[in-house]
Amino acid sequence: MSKISRFTTKVVTLAKNAVGGRGEVAAPEGGGGFADYAVVSLHCLRVYLEKSYREALDLLSEMPHILGEIGLEPADLPHHSTLVKWFDRIKMALWRVLLRLSAQEHEPSGHAAIDATFFDRENASKHYCRRTNYRVQTLKTTALVDTETQAILDVHCTTEKRHDTQLGWQVARRNAGDLASLAADKGYDWMDLREKLREEDVRPLIKHREFRPIDHAHNARIDGPRYRQRAMCETVFSTLKRTLGDAVRARTWYGEFRELVLMCAVYNIKQAVKQ
């Protein structure tokens, strides 16, 4: 079985679990709509293939065995503009569920690290930028990564200049029940963040910025091997950008956020299939 076939099989299973539509026909006859899991699977394959909507559908039309995994025939494939509209209609909650299910394929250890990177917002025409006030060219992405499995547990995106400590707590709070420790660099140095994590029974492995001798003493007490696993975030970011791209194609803010969550889910599934 080829990699793309194994990937598709895994995607269809997770998509059905995410939407709760196991008994639904992918492309019902008689003018009915496509099943949600089929649409989600097509979007995952689009990201996996690193193609535009039009190119991905053209390529998939030549892969009947891959479409068969979803329950579709080449003649069933929608127009690329229809697939674009479906992407905007799918609720963000569904993509988050897919991300969580994809992370669970790796059996997270409970030890995580958090860090941020930037993704480019694909260059638009000058007319479009003026019309929509499209000025910010990068998307700040904060990811929570399991340090042992390198699975992406959660992701947050923003175009605003919010401090890492605020974003770090927002992401950690959503996942506190599943974490035993959280490692982060000195950019997340905030005593309130440490206290909030301890209140959630999460051990903070966040080094202090060294202004006083006591800061050196605090840093010396941090678990060295566990803290050094924080570098896994950079490894994940590098792999994600190298294999799935370092830019988002969507033109709307909510579309870009959904696209990044989808990219993270596809990354998790690819890594699970590879293992």
Side-chain angles (χ1 to χ4, degrees), residues 165-180:
T165 54
Q166 303 296 327
L167 298 175
W169 170 238
Q170 185 174 341
V171 175
R173 179 176 55 190
R174 286 199 297 258
N175 302 273
D178 300 321
L179 300 179

Side-chain angles (χ1 to χ4, degrees), residues 21 23-39 42 70-73 75-78 86:
E24 193 175 3
V25 179
E29 299 178 355
F34 283 75
D36 288 342
Y37 77 83
V39 177
L42 288 175
I70 306 175
L72 300 174
E73 298 290 339
D76 296 327
L77 287 175
W86 276 336

Side-chain angles (χ1 to χ4, degrees), residues 230-248:
R230 180 188 60 80
M232 290 297 102
C233 280
E234 298 174 4
T235 301
V236 169
F237 288 147
S238 175
T239 304
L240 181 63
K241 291 181 177 182
R242 188 178 67 255
T243 59
L244 299 178
D246 59 358
V248 290

Side-chain angles (χ1 to χ4, degrees), residues 35-101:
D36 288 342
Y37 77 83
V39 177
V40 171
S41 300
L42 288 175
H43 279 295
C44 289
L45 282 166
R46 170 182 62 84
V47 173
Y48 178 85
L49 295 170
E50 297 182 73
K51 300 294 183 182
S52 66
Y53 286 90
R54 188 194 301 269
E55 293 171 337
L57 290 174
D58 286 344
L59 193 57
L60 288 172
S61 67
E62 303 296 328
M63 300 180 179
H65 60 292
I66 297 299
L67 293 178
E69 297 282 350
I70 306 175
L72 300 174
E73 298 290 339
D76 296 327
L77 287 175
H79 191 266
H80 66 89
S81 62
T82 303
L83 197 60
V84 173
K85 293 177 182 178
W86 276 336
F87 186 71
D88 292 335
R89 292 172 183 170
I90 297 175
K91 294 182 179 180
M92 185 66 211
L94 191 149
W95 296 120
R96 283 201 171 278
V97 170
L98 183 66
L99 176 60
R100 187 182 72 249
L101 292 176

Side-chain angles (χ1 to χ4, degrees), residues 12-202:
V12 171
T13 300
L14 295 180
K16 287 181 177 179
N17 290 336
V19 305
R22 287 184 172 274
E24 193 175 3
V25 179
E29 299 178 355
F34 283 75
D36 288 342
Y37 77 83
V39 177
V40 171
S41 300
L42 288 175
H43 279 295
C44 289
L45 282 166
R46 170 182 62 84
V47 173
Y48 178 85
L49 295 170
E50 297 182 73
K51 300 294 183 182
S52 66
Y53 286 90
R54 188 194 301 269
E55 293 171 337
L57 290 174
D58 286 344
L59 193 57
L60 288 172
S61 67
E62 303 296 328
M63 300 180 179
H65 60 292
I66 297 299
L67 293 178
E69 297 282 350
I70 306 175
L72 300 174
E73 298 290 339
D76 296 327
L77 287 175
H79 191 266
H80 66 89
S81 62
T82 303
L83 197 60
V84 173
K85 293 177 182 178
W86 276 336
F87 186 71
D88 292 335
R89 292 172 183 170
I90 297 175
K91 294 182 179 180
M92 185 66 211
L94 191 149
W95 296 120
R96 283 201 171 278
V97 170
L98 183 66
L99 176 60
R100 187 182 72 249
L101 292 176
S102 68
Q104 291 174 353
E105 290 292 311
H106 297 261
E107 298 183 2
S109 64
H111 300 288
I114 193 169
D115 205 351
T117 188
F118 289 89
F119 282 83
D120 292 330
R121 305 173 83 181
E122 192 175 72
N123 292 331
S125 67
K126 291 183 179 179
H127 171 71
Y128 179 87
C129 291
R130 287 195 301 268
R131 182 166 59 85
T132 61
N133 196 28
Y134 196 90
R135 297 179 180 178
V136 181
Q137 297 300 315
T138 57
L139 200 63
K140 184 175 182 179
T141 304
T142 303
L144 184 70
V145 175
D146 187 87
T147 56
E148 292 190 14
T149 64
Q150 298 184 31
I152 300 176
L153 306 176
D154 200 355
V155 64
H156 178 281
C157 305
T158 183
T159 57
E160 301 175 353
K161 296 181 179 179
R162 296 177 60 190
H163 198 272
D164 285 340
T165 54
Q166 303 296 327
L167 298 175
W169 170 238
Q170 185 174 341
V171 175
R173 179 176 55 190
R174 286 199 297 258
N175 302 273
D178 300 321
L179 300 179
S181 69
L182 179 64
D185 60 25
K186 295 178 182 179
Y188 295 85
D189 177 17
W190 184 36
M191 286 305 300
D192 285 353
L193 175 58
R194 294 187 181 90
E195 292 301 323
K196 290 177 180 179
L197 289 172
R198 292 189 182 101
E199 289 174 1
E200 299 290 340
D201 294 326
V202 180

